[in-house]
Amino acid sequence: MSIRPMSFTPEVLITAPRRSSATPNAKGTYALYTVSSYSLESHTETHEIRVLSLNTGKSILFSDDAANKEPTWLPGDQIIWLRRRENATEIWIGNAGHAEAKNPYVVGTIPAPIFNLKVKSLQNHSIAVVFSAKATPGGELHIPTGPKPGSTAREFETASVRKLTIEQFWDTYWTEFRNSIFYTTLQKSVHGNGKRYRLSATGLISALIGSGLESPFPGAAWGEYREFDISVSGILFRALDPDVNQALHFNAALYHVPLSDFEENPAPKPKRIDIPNYSGNISAGIFSPNGKAAALLITENADDRYASNEIVVIGDLANYQNITKLNVKNGNREPWDLSPESIKWCNDRTELYVTAEDKARIKLFKIPVEFSSENTMDTQAIELTLDGAVRDLHPLTDDFKEKRILVNKTSLVDHSIFSIIDSVSGTSRIISSLSKNGVKLGLSASQVSEFYFKGAQDQNVHAWTVKPSFFRPDKTYPLALLIHGGPRGSWADSWCTRWNPAVFAEQGYVVICPNPTGSIGFGHEFSAAVRGEWGGKAYVDIVKCVEHIESNFNFVDMNRACCLGASFGGYMINWIAGQPLAKKFKTLVVHDGIWSLGAMYASDISAAVRYEFFGQLWENPAQWEKYDPCRYCSSWTTPMLVVHSSKDYRCNINQGLATYNVCQQRGIRSRFVNFPDEPHVVLGRENSLHWHRTVLGWINEFTGVQDGILLARPVSEPWKGVVRNGQ
């Protein structure tokens, strides 16, 4: 048999350049972004800072030094960035352009690692500089020097004086050194024949000292840039609410540190901004361009985990007055049944740019805003994008009347697209596509389609289909059914470097990615219906999806089917293993899944599980037991690959060990893959390669894919040979 060449392999996915979002300069002529690439030959990662011409689409290299991080525009097309040193950070400034024109220089050194750099031009011609760093228990900058303590013990009673009772989050235990926000300014001083910026002689000032607050808080690692915002009127930041027992309610509040020249020392005490009639979680807070107003996303009730974000505008931030909730309608003047994920102001403050997931796309909307003393205001969400996933956006220039937006988005076949959208006309122009709409990766938009099927509640349930690039309708292909995490998650038209449907498709599978009950983007009722129904409505939707495939997709060979899932998807795999649906699959793959619901009390978000099952385990044991996978292990027979990482504090590693041990004791062919240094997702490039080779090799073995990746021997059992057909 001839070997079919595969262009989009795990190696291509892992080594392909990964590009950050692009930020335009004040004139909208250039954009700044970073890009990283990995070499499997040298086992090294390269990092570049690049400047993109928004007129020609061509980019030039600004820096290829991996120590340079977080580039940001300054006035006059200057760039400020951080340079990492051992236990220290230098702040540099240079001119955008080729090497000979950069004239880089150091403006100062911070004796600690710092992150999340933000800058703002002030009226006195100085530059406000704000960043996050670790702070001592007294609130000062933590300078990591001196010998390490002899003991590695951790101890908690209430986690800290901040009344938080979560001892770990995502992949990190809390320590006595907490995240904090610091500020200072850049001042111009004479240097030779010109002037250069220098850090203010006032030094660093802690914005949170004495407040008992932490920001960015643990668990914000995926979006720390949204944890605080700066303007000419100070700092807005999120912090876990110290008045709430976080073991029962995960809730963040919004605070304002009023500043005028960012030289105030000590910092004014942060002022908490309470929103009338709201007690829920705040997920974003941003200043208006002039710093006199703010907008935020908030849920109505802290107890409702499935509550949609609502948009609130604070028209008079100085006095915390004119607080208005936006009653957003859709194009049919019906209530907008979507949950906004991010917000940004247009320059003249007449509109908000909002992203929200809508039917498996993360779309961009504009929402008109009027400042008023009324408690509510009716407005409309106007759609600006139709497909893909918008990840970031910026007004193109700093002109007051600017209505063009630089948009960063991805799709299922393209990992980075920069485009300019005119919010008035709705026209769009692509500036740069990193993969040329997938072509450079051997992919095409024609591989992707979608369908709806009748689900558990007889409603339409959405699913994606991703076919091989070599698909022929007269052939049949094995099925790879991928179940997303959450359950409040989705399969969207977006790029992913971990669970990428196209990687499975290029092995020769028809990949189906359903969005069952609980998925976001299909209305609040559909999302919230999964509460208490993990193994009920959500599972029935998966069953109905498989039945739809069997009845309608004659190009799918259901005798060669496999099913895979991670997190909540991993829960679903373990649930399926004990249900009749398991008989449909040759093998199952569970990544960081849940074997026992009761064991989720070891999770960093145990409060969320309490909500899911209508109370504590001891209060409502029947509800917890009803859909607990471990109660159905006696029915397990399907071969299973179990992947679980040691630093996964979302679903503790004992969940994966239990799944594997049950399979072993029941005589079910199984393999356990462990990454000691990974959290809930596999992030390391080499670990990712191993993950892909093992997962794909495993399912290929059981579905009979002959010309894909072979299943290698277990790396911790070298005496076992290469596996083929179970031998």
Side-chain angles (χ1 to χ4, degrees), residues 69-190:
K69 306 289 185 182
E70 300 191 34
T72 303
W73 289 108
L74 286 176
D77 286 348
Q78 289 186 304
I79 298 172
I80 184 172
W81 69 94
L82 304 179
R83 180 174 174 78
R84 301 278 190 254
R85 296 293 191 189
E86 184 177 2
N87 292 330
T89 308
E90 296 173 345
I91 301 178
W92 285 69
I93 290 178
N95 298 317
H98 292 283
E100 60 272 13
K102 291 176 187 174
N103 296 320
Y105 63 93
V106 181
V107 300
T109 301
I110 309 299
I114 67 174
F115 306 91
N116 304 306
L117 175 69
K118 295 179 184 290
V119 296
K120 185 70 176 180
S121 296
L122 302 176
Q123 293 178 350
N124 61 6
H125 304 295
S126 64
I127 304 290
V129 176
V130 184
F131 55 81
S132 64
K134 291 293 183 182
T136 65
E140 302 291 345
L141 181 71
H142 168 53
I143 301 175
T145 58
K148 293 183 178 180
S151 171
T152 59
R154 302 184 182 107
E155 291 183 303
F156 303 93
E157 287 190 0
T158 58
S160 76
V161 296
R162 293 166 184 156
K163 302 181 182 177
L164 302 173
T165 57
I166 306 172
E167 287 81 21
Q168 56 191 30
F169 209 115
W170 195 254
D171 67 347
T172 305
Y173 274 84
W174 289 15
T175 72
E176 69 271 30
F177 304 114
R178 299 299 175 93
N179 295 330
S180 190
I181 300 171
F182 296 85
Y183 64 85
T184 186
T185 61
L186 297 178
Q187 305 285 345
K188 277 194 173 180
S189 60
V190 176

Side-chain angles (χ1 to χ4, degrees), residues 277-536:
N277 304 316
Y278 283 84
S279 62
N281 181 59
I282 292 178
S283 58
I286 58 166
F287 286 106
S288 63
N290 64 2
K292 295 181 179 181
L296 57 99
L297 301 178
I298 187 171
T299 58
E300 186 173 358
N301 189 337
D303 289 326
D304 187 353
R305 186 168 178 256
Y306 290 93
S308 296
N309 284 324
E310 298 185 31
I311 304 171
V312 172
V313 172
I314 306 172
D316 180 3
L317 189 60
N319 299 298
Y320 309 113
Q321 295 179 351
N322 297 343
I323 298 177
T324 304
K325 175 205 168 184
L326 302 187
N327 291 328
V328 185
K329 310 289 185 180
N330 61 21
N332 297 322
R333 306 303 298 175
E334 300 168 338
W336 196 48
D337 197 15
L338 302 179
S339 182
E341 298 177 0
S342 69
I343 50 175
K344 192 157 289 187
W345 291 90
C346 74
N347 291 349
D348 64 5
R349 303 191 305 159
T350 62
E351 294 173 339
L352 286 170
Y353 300 132
V354 176
T355 63
E357 186 152 347
D358 182 17
K359 296 180 177 58
R361 283 91 171 162
I362 302 176
K363 297 180 179 179
L364 173 61
F365 300 84
K366 67 175 181 180
I367 298 178
V369 175
E370 294 180 2
F371 294 97
S372 121
S373 58
E374 298 295 326
N375 294 331
T376 61
M377 186 192 81
D378 291 338
T379 186
Q380 181 181 354
I382 302 168
E383 198 174 68
L384 294 178
T385 62
L386 299 176
D387 55 12
V390 175
R391 295 303 184 189
D392 198 12
L393 60 108
H394 302 273
L396 184 61
T397 73
D398 64 358
D399 186 276
F400 183 74
K401 297 181 180 180
E402 182 62 75
K403 294 295 184 180
R404 293 170 297 170
I405 314 165
L406 179 61
V407 175
N408 302 263
K409 71 175 188 175
T410 69
S411 74
L412 281 164
V413 298
D414 200 331
H415 51 329
S416 179
I417 307 165
F418 300 156
S419 60
I420 294 176
I421 295 177
D422 188 315
S423 66
V424 177
S425 66
T427 58
S428 176
R429 175 171 64 94
I430 293 178
I431 302 299
S432 172
S433 168
L434 193 56
S435 67
K436 305 299 182 185
N437 199 29
V439 172
K440 285 187 175 182
L441 302 175
L443 302 176
S444 167
S446 63
Q447 293 176 240
V448 180
S449 58
E450 60 190 320
F451 64 93
Y452 284 85
F453 59 93
K454 291 295 182 180
Q457 303 176 84
D458 201 37
Q459 80 283 48
N460 290 327
V461 179
H462 175 271
W464 291 104
T465 302
V466 183
K467 299 173 183 176
S469 59
F470 46 87
F471 176 82
R472 288 176 51 183
D474 59 333
K475 300 287 186 180
T476 60
Y477 302 86
L479 169 69
L481 184 68
L482 306 185
I483 305 176
H484 68 66
R488 199 174 188 271
S490 74
W491 285 110
D493 184 15
S494 64
W495 188 260
C496 183
T497 57
R498 299 182 299 277
W499 286 78
N500 190 303
V503 168
F504 292 86
E506 290 306 282
Q507 289 289 302
Y509 293 88
V510 168
V511 182
I512 304 295
C513 304
N515 283 310
T517 298
S519 302
I520 58 176
F522 301 91
H524 175 264
E525 182 179 347
F526 183 77
S527 178
V530 77
R531 187 183 180 197
E533 291 285 338
W534 285 23

Side-chain angles (χ1 to χ4, degrees), residues 211-243:
S211 68
L213 300 172
E214 178 173 16
S215 183
F217 56 82
W222 298 104
E224 288 183 349
Y225 71 97
R226 291 174 54 187
E227 296 307 298
F228 66 93
D229 191 26
I230 69 172
S231 77
V232 294
S233 61
I235 302 170
L236 274 178
F237 68 93
R238 287 203 315 156
L240 292 178
D241 189 339
D243 297 328

Side-chain angles (χ1 to χ4, degrees), residues 24-45:
N25 63 352
K27 298 178 181 178
T29 52
Y30 295 100
L32 194 59
Y33 67 94
T34 62
V35 61
S36 64
S37 300
Y38 192 82
S39 170
L40 292 171
E41 289 73 27
S42 64
H43 308 287
T44 57
E45 190 168 19

Side-chain angles (χ1 to χ4, degrees), residues 558 576-577 579-586 588 635-638:
M558 283 302 301
I576 288 172
Q579 305 302 317
L581 183 61
K583 304 300 182 184
K584 300 284 187 180
F585 302 113
K586 294 296 184 182
L588 302 170
S635 299
W636 287 20
T637 59
T638 308

